[in-house]
Amino acid sequence: ESDTASEISFQFNRHKKTPSTGSHSSDMASVSSVSGSVLSVYSGDFGSVDAQGTVEFALDYDEKNREFQVHVSQCKDLAVVDEKKGRSDPYVKTYLLPDKARMGKRKTSVKKRTVNPIYNEVLRYKIEKMVLLIQKLNLSVWHNDPLGRNSFLGEIEIDLASWDWSNRKLNWYPLKPRSLSAVNGVDHRGVMSLSIKYVPPGSLGKWPKNPPSGEVHIWVKDVKDLLQLRPSGVDSFVKCYVLPDTSKKSHQKTRVIKRDTNPVFNHTIVYDGFHTEDLKDACVELTVWDHEKLTNHFLGGIRLGLGTGLSYGISVDWMDSTQEEVAFWQEMMLAANEWIEGLLPLRSL
């Protein structure tokens, strides 16, 4: 049995040529104002050349200030990006993985016209040592392009759990090509098991009309292999919206499952107020979060829809379902009153 069963009316003004009357805003405003949804925080870097050269750096943890420090010294023999001028404008960038968004990136200054840049800069992260030890350091070198099309020059990844913290000396490391997962955009955040069903208006009885409007049923079963951001584990919950409606009625969430990277939710949500034609313009957004006292951290999500980029004729960035998500939604549309089971990978949104 489900731990909770929620029933919510799917309510938003459908797109018309004239604004709606009364206290509601126009249809155009009601859709476009929520086009943001959960946005990606990852910056985009573009072109690349073959990785070559080395980077010199040292790692340290300042116990007093609870600060992780990356001492970036210099690079040697970097790849040349602008072959005509025989130059590169390199800088060094670092992330803490697996969740790039949580701690953000750190960058050195840009050194102009050199393949042997000298930095002597310290990149700092305020972070508890226990949390740091379940992270990986990703250090990469990039050519800075004035138009923003930065070129990848090489990277190195350090598993901080096995790092020798007594080693505070500067050491040289060879720069490597991008990993296959990075090239293919693979970002493993876990897998969600769920079922969905569409119940058309009147399909369960003509008189009285049962149901009076169409219903979308969402059964969130479990999630496997969630990212663990803290040593104590993950306290996760799932949040659900049916976009473009982001009202409190549309917003639903499961209970929090504590200290479990494979949480079982078994939670059912029913949204009514659907017309069959709404299915091509609506999108079910399910996101998984790590619950903490001060803030919740995004772990991954899925978006179920047709992935057309449009909702009621308006361009929206959240109508971006993957091929798997689109196929899952289409199967539900074609099989009224039947539960469709799926196993979908979580992704950054």
Side-chain angles (χ1 to χ4, degrees):
E1 294 182 358
S2 303
D3 68 278
T4 52
S6 314
E7 185 158 328
I8 309 96
S9 292
F10 176 62
Q11 294 178 341
F12 64 92
N13 298 321
R14 291 172 180 81
H15 181 57
K16 303 169 189 172
K17 292 183 179 177
T18 56
S20 54
T21 56
S23 60
H24 297 289
S25 60
S26 72
D27 299 305
M28 182 69 77
S30 69
V31 178
S32 62
S33 65
V34 298
S35 63
S37 186
V38 180
L39 297 179
S40 170
V41 297
Y42 304 119
S43 62
D45 292 294
F46 301 96
S48 65
V49 294
D50 289 338
Q52 69 175 61
T54 55
V55 58
E56 186 185 42
F57 65 91
L59 305 182
D60 193 12
Y61 186 79
D62 184 339
E63 301 280 357
K64 183 180 178 181
N65 295 312
R66 296 178 179 177
E67 186 178 76
F68 174 49
Q69 300 172 348
V70 183
H71 300 251
V72 181
S73 173
Q74 59 183 318
C75 299
K76 276 189 178 178
D77 303 322
L78 295 176
V80 174
V81 174
D82 190 339
E83 293 186 359
K84 288 184 179 178
K85 297 180 180 178
R87 63 176 278 188
S88 294
D89 297 339
Y91 67 94
V92 175
K93 177 169 68 174
T94 60
Y95 280 111
L96 289 179
L97 305 176
D99 191 2
K100 293 199 279 186
R102 188 175 189 190
M103 296 300 297
K105 67 184 172 186
R106 304 289 188 271
K107 295 196 295 185
T108 66
S109 57
V110 176
K111 301 301 179 184
K112 300 274 189 179
R113 301 179 183 86
T114 179
V115 292
N116 299 299
I118 297 174
Y119 299 101
N120 291 324
E121 297 178 37
V122 181
L123 307 179
R124 305 172 189 273
Y125 291 86
K126 287 287 187 182
I127 186 171
E128 294 290 341
K129 184 73 172 286
M130 288 295 290
V131 177
L132 182 65
L133 292 179
I134 60 170
Q135 312 282 318
K136 289 183 179 179
L137 171 69
N138 178 272
L139 183 147
S140 54
V141 185
W142 297 81
H143 162 74
N144 182 64
D145 183 85
L147 300 178
R149 297 191 65 83
N150 300 331
S151 297
F152 174 80
L153 300 178
E155 72 174 1
I156 181 169
E157 208 162 275
I158 302 288
D159 188 345
L160 298 176
S162 56
W163 180 255
D164 177 9
W165 293 99
S166 65
N167 176 16
R168 296 184 177 89
K169 294 180 181 178
L170 290 166
N171 290 291
W172 286 98
Y173 300 89
L175 290 168
K176 300 177 180 179
R178 302 189 88 171
S179 64
L180 190 62
S181 60
V183 171
N184 293 333
V186 175
D187 183 17
H188 184 72
R189 292 170 170 266
V191 180
M192 180 180 289
S193 172
L194 74 162
S195 292
I196 55 174
K197 176 173 67 172
Y198 176 60
V199 181
S203 61
L204 303 181
K206 298 297 183 186
W207 186 263
K209 193 176 183 181
N210 181 26
S213 65
E215 297 176 348
V216 170
H217 296 234
I218 304 158
W219 178 8
V220 180
K221 297 178 181 179
D222 59 58
V223 181
K224 296 268 195 308
D225 300 325
L226 282 176
L227 292 176
Q228 182 171 325
L229 305 180
R230 295 172 286 134
S232 58
V234 184
D235 297 344
S236 62
F237 67 94
V238 178
K239 198 186 292 186
C240 183
Y241 283 102
V242 176
L243 302 172
D245 185 3
T246 57
S247 67
K248 284 187 176 181
K249 280 189 173 182
S250 173
H251 174 218
Q252 293 296 309
K253 61 184 180 181
T254 68
R255 72 192 192 284
V256 175
I257 306 294
K258 294 197 170 183
R259 298 179 184 85
D260 196 343
T261 55
N262 300 293
V264 176
F265 296 103
N266 211 26
H267 183 107
T268 305
I269 304 168
V270 178
Y271 288 91
D272 66 10
F274 270 91
H275 296 274
T276 302
E277 60 269 22
D278 290 326
L279 297 177
K280 70 181 191 304
D281 291 296
C283 173
V284 173
E285 180 179 89
L286 293 158
T287 51
V288 186
W289 300 79
D290 184 16
H291 176 69
E292 290 193 60
K293 287 183 180 178
L294 298 179
T295 185
N296 297 318
H297 296 286
F298 174 73
L299 297 176
I302 60 175
R303 289 195 179 122
L304 306 178
L306 292 184
T308 60
L310 297 172
S311 177
Y312 297 94
I314 298 169
S315 178
V316 290
D317 57 9
W318 46 258
M319 192 62 95
D320 65 347
S321 300
T322 65
Q323 287 184 334
E324 286 179 277
E325 293 164 351
V326 170
F328 189 50
W329 190 250
Q330 286 176 328
E331 192 175 351
M332 180 202 72
M333 293 173 66
L334 294 171
N337 295 313
E338 289 184 25
W339 281 108
I340 307 301
E341 295 186 10
L343 202 62
L344 296 173
L346 301 178
R347 58 186 176 98
S348 55
L349 300 181

